[in-house]
Structure formats: C-alpha cells, structure tokens
Amino acid sequence: MSGMSYVSLVCSKETRHIHLAVAEAAIVGGVLIGTLINGPIIDNWGLDILVYTNVAFCLIAVLIVIFFIPELYKQFARELTWREILWPDQILDTFRCLLKRRPSNGRLLLNLSMVVYTCILITVVGFSTVLYLYLVKELGLSTTQHSIYSAVLSGVKVVLGPSILLLVRRFNVNKFDTAIYMIALAILGYVLLSMGGSIYLLWIGGILLCGQITIVAVLRGLQASIVDEDEMGKLFAWDAFIQIISASLISILYNSLYGWCVSFWPALVFAFSGLLLLFGLVIMCILVIRMNAVNRSEESTDYTTIHQINE
C-alpha cells in the first residue's frame, strides 16, 4: 500500500487512476508469474532455491527504492519511538481520516467509495476462496485445468484494467460511468457463474469479472483526490487494514457458505457475490449522483462569482 500511496502523490489528478490501475495490474501480474514459476522451481531445484529466489527479488525491490526513489525514505528518515510503534495511535488515525469533516461533501463521498470498494474486495476474495472447491470438487476439473483457468483470468485482468482506463482517457469517457458499467458486467458474470454446469458460462462469467481492477483504480483515484497529501498514508493504511481482515474473515465466511449450500446449490456463493455487488452498484450510483450535485453547485458558485466581478 505504500507503493499505491507514492503513486497517488506523484501523479496528477487527471492520470492518477490510470497509474493506480497499472500498479494494481503489476501486483496481479507478479502473483501470476510467481504462481507459474513456483512449481517448476520446486520440482527441478527444490524448496531452498525457491526461498533464495524470493529473497533475490526482494533485494531487487529494495535496491530500486534506494537508487531510484530515495524520497520514499529520506524525507521521513527519523527514529521511531517504541510508543509510536506499539501505541494504537496510527490505527486510530486511519479512522479519523475517514471521519474527518471535509468540504464539498468530501467525507460522504470518501465513505461511500469505501463501501463500494469493500463490496468489491469481499467478492474478489470470496471468488478466489471457493474457486478451487467449485471447479475441482464440484465440476470435476483437474488441478491443472483450475490453474489454467486462474492464470488466464489473471492475465486478462493485467491487460484489461489499464487498457480500459487508457481508452476512457483517449475518447474522453466519464471514468465513473465506466466503473458503473464494470460493476454491472461483474454482476452479470456472477449471475452466469451461479447458473453452474456449463464450461462456456464458466469462462464467460469469469471474463466478465476481469474489469474489477478498473473499478478499484477509479475508486482509489477518487479517494486520493479527496484527502490531503499528508493523509495518503493513512488512506492506504485503511486499505491495507481492510485487506488483512478480508484475508481471514471473508475466507471463513465463503467457506462456511459453500459448505452449507454445496448439497443443494453449490454456485449459490456466486449468486451471493452478485447480490453484494448489486448493493455496491446502488451505492456507486448514489456516489456519482452526489458528485454531480457537488460539481454543479461549485460551477454555479463560480459563475455567480464571475458575474459579480463583471458587474
């Protein structure tokens, strides 16, 4: 999340969402590459070489930070006290960041975007949690077929997310309307997946879910434009907090739901995700309506001010 915070600080407001999408795509691409090379490395050279490979990549990342973006550590280079490390002030600051009063309904817009983001995160984690159980245990596909399916979807996400936003900027399409369309397509994807059985529905539904990077990038760009520059770290710290919670609690939720419905409708978990995204879509529409109202109000204020000056 520190990388996302840095991208938000150095990029302009107009292109921030595109660069955030590229950063998110880089993470997904890295996970994809790691998943593909882990097996061959272990099979041919053993687990020790895999550990050394991971250490080497971590060192490369550290060297890149040191030599190419030193402002990440030089600007804030100071000794931390034990109280700052152990005291929960840093966690409380993230809550204060969300609840802080802001002009132009900024607090409302920020929290509405967080609700939409949380809905998307829950469905993404839930999908990855039950995908293996559904494909291998229920549909009878092999582990290799599951790996191929997951790898293809990850590859489509890496390409599709930034590409959509580049096209949006190229043809001057409203990025928030695009996010609404992507949520609607993801809902349709979950509906198709919930029908179950057909391999064609499985692939079409999965592909329709691949625009989620676009949605997340638009939401993060909006959030970064609302908060102050010195609050970027707090904003993405909250993002990291949500992801940590989702890694455990949401997995438990989806595993429990799948265990309950597997006897009568195994694909019910996908219907649940679609319903959750439908709620997120409603909140996203409210968010866009409020943003348009704020923009019209500001334009009206500017016009009145200019008219008074001219008089």
Side-chain angles (χ1 to χ4, degrees):
M1 287 300 108
S2 59
M4 296 291 182
S5 179
Y6 178 76
V7 170
S8 299
L9 283 171
V10 300
C11 297
S12 65
K13 182 179 179 180
E14 291 75 18
T15 62
R16 181 181 290 145
H17 58 288
I18 298 176
H19 290 92
L20 286 171
V22 172
E24 186 72 23
I27 295 173
V28 175
V31 172
L32 171 61
I33 295 172
T35 303
L36 293 176
I37 67 175
N38 279 352
I41 290 177
I42 294 175
D43 292 340
N44 292 281
W45 297 288
L47 186 61
D48 292 345
I49 299 300
L50 177 63
V51 174
Y52 297 145
T53 303
N54 292 338
V55 171
F57 279 113
C58 290
L59 289 176
I60 291 173
V62 171
L63 292 175
I64 290 174
V65 171
I66 291 175
F67 290 104
F68 294 98
I69 41 179
E71 62 267 25
L72 278 182
Y73 64 93
K74 286 186 177 180
Q75 184 177 355
F76 304 102
R78 65 182 182 85
E79 293 185 1
L80 294 175
T81 64
W82 282 106
R83 184 180 184 279
E84 290 176 311
I85 297 174
L86 300 177
W87 206 252
D89 286 349
Q90 306 293 338
I91 299 176
L92 294 176
D93 280 344
T94 62
F95 289 96
R96 298 189 188 105
C97 177
L98 294 178
L99 300 177
K100 176 182 175 181
R101 289 184 176 274
R102 302 180 187 277
S104 302
N105 285 330
R107 179 171 61 178
L108 175 63
L109 299 178
L110 179 61
N111 285 279
L112 286 176
S113 67
M114 281 295 181
V115 172
V116 180
Y117 174 74
T118 303
C119 291
I120 294 169
L121 184 61
I122 291 173
T123 59
V124 170
V125 175
F127 179 76
S128 61
T129 298
V130 301
L131 184 62
Y132 177 84
L133 294 174
Y134 182 71
L135 294 184
V136 178
K137 303 297 183 180
E138 181 61 30
L139 299 185
L141 301 183
S142 66
T143 304
T144 301
Q145 289 173 318
H146 164 263
S147 300
I148 293 173
Y149 181 80
S150 300
V152 170
L153 292 190
S154 297
V156 173
K157 287 180 183 179
V158 170
V159 175
L160 194 62
S163 299
I164 290 175
L165 291 177
L166 287 172
L167 291 174
V168 165
R169 180 173 173 80
R170 172 66 178 81
F171 294 102
N172 198 27
V173 180
N174 189 294
K175 58 187 177 184
F176 297 104
D177 291 343
T178 304
I180 290 176
Y181 300 148
M182 291 296 104
I183 297 176
L185 288 176
I187 294 172
L188 177 59
Y190 281 118
V191 170
L192 295 178
L193 289 171
S194 67
M195 294 178 180
S198 172
I199 192 68
Y200 299 105
L201 293 179
L202 185 68
W203 277 104
I204 296 172
I207 294 297
L208 290 177
L209 303 181
C210 293
Q212 292 166 330
I213 286 182
T214 303
I215 309 167
V216 170
V218 170
L219 290 173
R220 282 176 173 164
L222 171 63
Q223 295 163 3
S225 66
I226 293 174
V227 303
D228 300 328
E229 285 191 359
D230 59 351
E231 294 177 318
M232 291 290 184
K234 300 174 185 177
L235 172 66
F236 287 99
W238 175 255
D239 193 328
F241 175 75
I242 295 176
Q243 292 195 29
I244 291 172
I245 294 298
S246 68
S248 54
L249 296 182
I250 298 173
S251 298
I252 295 173
L253 170 64
Y254 270 78
N255 278 322
S256 301
L257 179 60
Y258 185 80
W260 171 72
C261 69
V262 68
S263 60
F264 60 93
W265 187 12
L268 177 62
V269 288
F270 302 126
F272 173 75
S273 294
L275 186 62
L276 188 60
L277 272 190
L278 181 61
F279 173 73
L281 178 62
V282 173
I283 300 299
M284 187 68 188
C285 292
I286 295 174
L287 171 64
V288 172
I289 291 172
R290 295 299 304 171
M291 286 181 56
N292 292 335
V294 170
N295 291 336
R296 285 195 299 269
S297 176
E298 291 178 349
E299 290 174 359
S300 177
T301 302
D302 292 342
Y303 174 80
T304 303
T305 302
I306 293 172
H307 185 66
Q308 290 174 347
I309 293 174
N310 291 335
E311 289 182 343

